[in-house]
Each structure stands twice: as C-alpha cells, then as structure tokens.
Amino acid sequence: MNEVSRRAREIAGSPIRRMFNIAAAMEDVISFTVGEPDFVTPANIREAAVRSLERGETHYTANAGVPPLRQAIGSRLGSEYGLSWDPETEIIVTAGGMEALMLGMMVLIDPGDEVLISDPHWPNYPRQVLMCGGVPRFFTLREENGFVPYPDDLRKAVTAKTKLIVLNSPANPTGAVMDAETLQEIARLAIQKDLFVISDEVYRRFIYDGTQFSSISTMEGMTERTLVVDSFSKTYAMTGWRVGFAAGPRRVVENMVKYQENFVGCVNTQAQYGAIEALQGPQTALHEMIQTYAERRRMIVEGLNNIPKVSCGWPKGTFYCFANIRDAGMSSEDFTMRLLRETRVVAVPGSGFGAAGEGYVRLSYATSSKNITEGLSRLRRFTESLP
Ligand SMILES: Cc1ncc(COP(=O)(O)O)c(C=O)c1O
C-alpha cells in the first residue's frame, strides 16, 4: 500500500539542494549555489522587529497582514509602478514570494489547467503547478536572445486548456530582464487568449548597466489580469524572515486571503514589523548591496569569459550567471559533479532548471569576491585538465 498521494509522488526533489547536500559533507568547498544574499539583514530592520516583540505584539495578525505593512507596500508600488492597488483588498502579505506564488496558483488553477512556464525556469514553478493539479507547459528561452522569450514561442504553446502564464523577470537562473516591447506582446497574447499572468518580480531591484525594469502589470489591460509577486527576501537580505507579498485584482487576492487563513493564518508578526521598517527606513544598505553585486558580477563574468571551454553572457539582473559549458563536451550534471569532486567547487547543473538548461551551469555571485577569485581559479584548473 502506498498512502502517499499521486500528486506528492509526482513532485521531484530540488537539484540545488542535492548539490548542496553533497558539498555539505566536504571541506574547503567554494559554493556558487546559494540563492540568497550573503549579507545579514540591515540593523534598522532587525531592531524594528525586536521593538515589536518588546511592545508585546505576540498575537495573530489579520490573514492579509498588518494594515500598516499593506499600506507601506501599496505606497511603494504606487511610486514605483504608477499603479494603485488597494491595501484593503488587493494586497496580501505572504510567507515569502514562495507562498504568494503558491496561494496565487491555488486560487487560479483548476485540475487539468495548463500553465505556461519558461524553460529554463526556477524549479519550484512546475512543482507548484503540479501541487495544484495543473499541467506545466514550457516555452524555450534561447541564449541568442539573451534568454528573453520570443513571444511567438509562447503563442505556439497556448492551447484551449491554457489558463495562466508565469513570468519571471529578472529571471532565475539566467539573469535575463524582459524588455517592455516583449512584455507588450505577451500582454497582447494574454488579452487575446484570456489568460491570467503571475509575474514573479522578486529580483527587480538587482538590475545592472542602466537596464530598465518593466512589469507586465503596467501594460494596458493587464492590471486586472496580473498578480505581481515580490518579496523582502532578496531585496533586504531577509530570506529567513519569510515575508513577501502579492498585489493583484480583488477577486484573486480575496481568495488568496481565504486560503491564507487555512495555511499559516498570518505571517510572523515580528517579520511584518521588520518589513515595514525595510520599506520606510533608510535604503542605504540596499544601495550598498546592489553596488557590491554589481562589482562581483563584473568580476565573475569577466573571469568566466577568460576560462577555456566556458563562456557567459552578461546577466542584466539578479545575482546569478548562466555560463555555457557546451565546449567541455559533457552534460551539465557530469560537469558540476566532476568540478565538485576534483576541485571542491559547487555550481548547479543547468539541466536542473529544465531541459533547455542543458549545456549550462548556474553560478550565484551572492558570495564574497575572495570566494569568486578562488572559485574561478579552481574552475580554470578543471577546464584546462579536460581534453
Ligand atoms: C525566482 C524566484 N522566485 C521566488 C523566490 C522565493 O523566495 P522567497 O520565498 O524567499 O521570497 C525565489 C527564491 O529563490 C526565486 O528564485
């Protein structure tokens, strides 16, 4: 007898975690796997959470989150997107961007509904779709186009069962940032085919070289069919706090709030007060972090392009680069496994992000410049040893 549901059995483990676990048993490892800032949350945010505890705010909050946080999110979005989502009915505070995505999908997907996801993609998306009884369908991203989708590839993937498109810009694992023109075309497709869009924008503050960030939610006719997902995790180095949010049409957000009541009730109260300070306090630490990532990005991309059998385009955003290792003449899984065993450097095989990720490895530069220098020199030793 197997009492575990078919749905649960369908969900694969994370390739990122797998590499992480193997590396954890080794010493002197340089890791490029981490998908989180290596900074501690800025002190003013930590202190705000402590003050909230000291005030005795130890109770449940509203399912949608404390009103001052929803208002702060609303005004931040208002100034940055030029849109007004009602903090009362159109904004929900969630346990990270992850829970915002999950709640959104639970509210939007009926069993059998198809959901368009890019390939490569952040591996949680298809798993979350499966957890909702949906069917993931993929459109391929190509390096020749900087891993920005060709709208035609999405158009071809649409069927009568398509319900939802998941977009991620800036994107994990490729670092691609979608331009306004591409988003405009995808918006036209969504409207024409009556599709809803979940736009995962958790990396939107990490953008380089003057690239402009655009959100599909701001395109004409899209505010009422887009759920914007964002998070404090990456922006303010708050991954362990588990606080994120979503903004979207009332009919969707109200139902997410209903689900929230049955999932976690509400996000941790102190984390919510910390998040208010993150939005309303000084932004100096954020700007310093962005600057540091920009310097590390230059260092790692230049370094990678000087290593035989490796090439890497400039990621426009995030803190990942997606390096092409096809010239090494082996699968990305073999490449990363040998790299780990022979030089104790961990990177994530591109195939872990979907079939189109084969031939690439993802390296996170949310690590010190000292690690980047040492990791790149080991990587060079490894590729130079290849025939
Ligand atoms: C693309 C993307 N979306 C969402 C998340 C969720 O992060 P969190 O739940 O910590 O906000 C991550 C985390 O790695 C991510 O890479």
Side-chain angles (χ1 to χ4, degrees):
M1 177 178 159
N2 190 347
E3 58 282 277
V4 173
S5 72
R6 185 173 45 74
R7 228 175 248 185
R9 277 180 276 142
E10 267 175 12
I11 313 293
S14 155
I16 306 173
R17 285 274 154 207
R18 205 162 51 234
M19 292 301 293
F20 203 78
N21 292 342
I22 300 173
M26 294 175 143
E27 277 178 22
D28 183 31
V29 168
I30 304 273
S31 178
F32 289 112
T33 57
V34 228
E36 64 173 334
D38 55 325
F39 305 103
V40 174
T41 309
N44 62 312
I45 301 175
R46 286 183 273 140
E47 285 157 11
V50 170
R51 280 199 302 277
S52 150
L53 252 188
E54 285 172 349
R55 284 196 301 268
E57 286 158 351
T58 55
H59 303 278
Y60 292 129
T61 73
N63 300 134
V66 293
L69 177 54
R70 279 182 278 147
Q71 278 147 15
I73 293 167
S75 59
R76 171 63 71 90
L77 290 175
S79 63
E80 292 188 2
Y81 289 63
L83 292 173
S84 63
W85 282 280
D86 179 3
E88 273 291 309
T89 55
E90 296 177 323
I91 291 172
I92 176 173
V93 179
T94 55
M98 241 176 257
E99 200 215 4
L101 290 160
M102 192 68 215
L103 291 178
M105 289 190 198
M106 295 210 76
V107 162
L108 291 162
I109 299 174
D110 275 318
D113 282 347
E114 293 183 2
V115 179
L116 299 190
I117 299 170
S118 70
D119 179 8
H121 49 254
W122 184 49
N124 292 45
Y125 299 139
R127 288 191 233 129
Q128 290 182 317
V129 170
L130 290 169
M131 284 167 76
C132 297
V135 182
R137 295 276 181 230
F138 301 101
F139 54 93
T140 305
L141 304 178
R142 301 159 206 278
E143 190 177 4
E144 66 187 31
N145 200 36
F147 295 109
V148 169
Y150 287 119
D152 250 5
D153 286 334
L154 273 96
R155 191 177 297 280
K156 284 182 206 139
V158 173
T159 73
K161 291 189 181 160
T162 311
K163 175 76 176 288
L164 177 67
I165 305 174
V166 176
L167 296 180
N168 177 211
S169 174
N172 177 6
T174 62
V177 176
M178 293 172 70
D179 54 281
E181 207 177 304
T182 302
L183 287 168
Q184 195 72 66
E185 275 196 59
I186 296 175
R188 270 196 287 275
L189 174 70
I191 291 166
Q192 189 192 9
K193 303 284 181 184
D194 194 21
L195 308 176
F196 199 90
V197 173
I198 293 185
S199 184
D200 178 349
E201 304 177 358
V202 303
Y203 293 101
R204 80 186 162 88
R205 298 305 296 269
F206 303 121
I207 292 209
Y208 313 102
D209 294 343
T211 300
Q212 284 299 312
F213 168 75
S214 305
S215 172
I216 196 163
S217 63
T218 62
M219 311 274 152
E220 199 182 335
M222 288 307 293
T223 315
E224 62 261 32
R225 56 173 73 241
T226 306
L227 184 74
V228 170
V229 168
D230 201 344
S231 172
F232 291 85
S233 289
K234 320 280 174 176
T235 314
Y236 294 101
M238 290 174 69
T239 45
W241 297 61
R242 310 311 302 133
V243 48
F245 59 91
R250 179 178 183 155
R251 65 188 189 281
V252 173
V253 172
E254 272 182 353
N255 280 289
M256 290 170 70
V257 174
K258 222 162 60 185
Y259 273 73
Q260 182 68 305
E261 158 74 18
N262 298 287
F263 267 94
V264 296
C266 65
V267 170
N268 171 284
T269 307
Q270 276 62 58
Q272 295 190 56
Y273 282 97
I276 296 173
E277 172 65 19
L279 291 175
Q280 293 180 339
Q283 304 294 301
T284 340
L286 167 62
H287 293 128
E288 281 167 10
M289 287 191 278
I290 296 173
Q291 189 56 39
T292 307
Y293 289 133
E295 284 157 20
R296 292 170 178 175
R297 166 183 176 264
R298 188 192 46 73
M299 205 174 152
I300 196 167
V301 177
E302 282 178 4
L304 285 168
N305 284 314
N306 274 320
I307 291 177
K309 301 185 167 58
V310 178
S311 69
C312 186
W314 286 90
K316 294 208 160 71
T318 71
F319 40 65
Y320 305 109
C321 39
F322 209 50
N324 187 323
I325 50 100
R326 290 223 168 95
D327 288 348
M330 64 183 95
S331 71
S332 58
E333 179 108 29
D334 287 347
F335 185 95
T336 47
M337 204 46 87
R338 280 189 57 184
L339 182 66
L340 176 58
R341 296 237 149 91
E342 294 172 30
T343 71
R344 283 166 285 114
V345 167
V346 221
V348 189
S351 55
F353 302 99
E358 187 48 88
Y360 298 88
V361 297
R362 189 194 76 173
L363 297 113
S364 157
Y365 48 93
T367 184
S368 68
S369 46
K370 183 163 164 267
N371 277 354
I372 294 174
T373 309
E374 173 61 19
L376 288 177
S377 110
R378 293 186 193 183
L379 176 59
R380 166 183 289 283
R381 234 186 302 139
F382 173 67
T383 61
E384 281 177 349
S385 74
L386 299 175

